[in-house]
Amino acid sequence: MKALEVTGKIQQGKLTLDHPLGIDDFQEVKVIILLPEASDHDPDDTPIAEIEESLTRAFQEVKSGQTRYISELWERIESE
């Protein structure tokens, strides 16, 4: 059996794939649906307003000279 991983959505009980498969010669398939747990957090799900706020704050810190060398940040990370 060959496996393909695709993404899609379930709406009104029907599965819709995000992109066509491009396969025409199979008559039956087995479908396994993986639903994310409520506790799963996708880093890409960060709200845009939160990202904009963080970028604005970072830009203000740079403008006011509140920056650190990257080596200092790595030292702090490695010491934890």
Side-chain angles (χ1 to χ4, degrees):
M1 183 171 274
K2 181 178 178 179
L4 299 174
E5 182 174 339
V6 297
T7 57
K9 295 174 182 57
I10 297 176
Q11 296 172 326
Q12 298 176 346
K14 294 184 181 181
L15 174 63
T16 304
L17 301 180
D18 291 337
H19 303 285
L21 293 176
I23 300 172
D24 295 324
D25 57 346
F26 286 91
Q27 293 187 11
E28 286 188 24
V29 297
K30 181 177 183 179
V31 178
I32 299 172
I33 297 174
L34 302 174
L35 301 171
E37 296 290 331
S39 62
D40 289 351
H41 175 70
D42 184 352
D44 293 335
D45 287 346
T46 305
I48 293 196
E50 186 178 327
I51 294 169
E52 288 174 344
E53 183 180 312
S54 176
L55 290 172
T56 301
R57 186 174 49 252
F59 184 64
Q60 293 298 326
E61 289 173 0
V62 168
K63 284 177 35 178
S64 66
Q66 298 174 338
T67 58
R68 296 188 179 155
Y69 290 105
I70 192 74
S71 59
E72 287 181 40
L73 297 173
W74 278 116
E75 286 171 9
R76 287 176 57 197
I77 290 171
E78 290 173 350
S79 68
E80 291 181 3

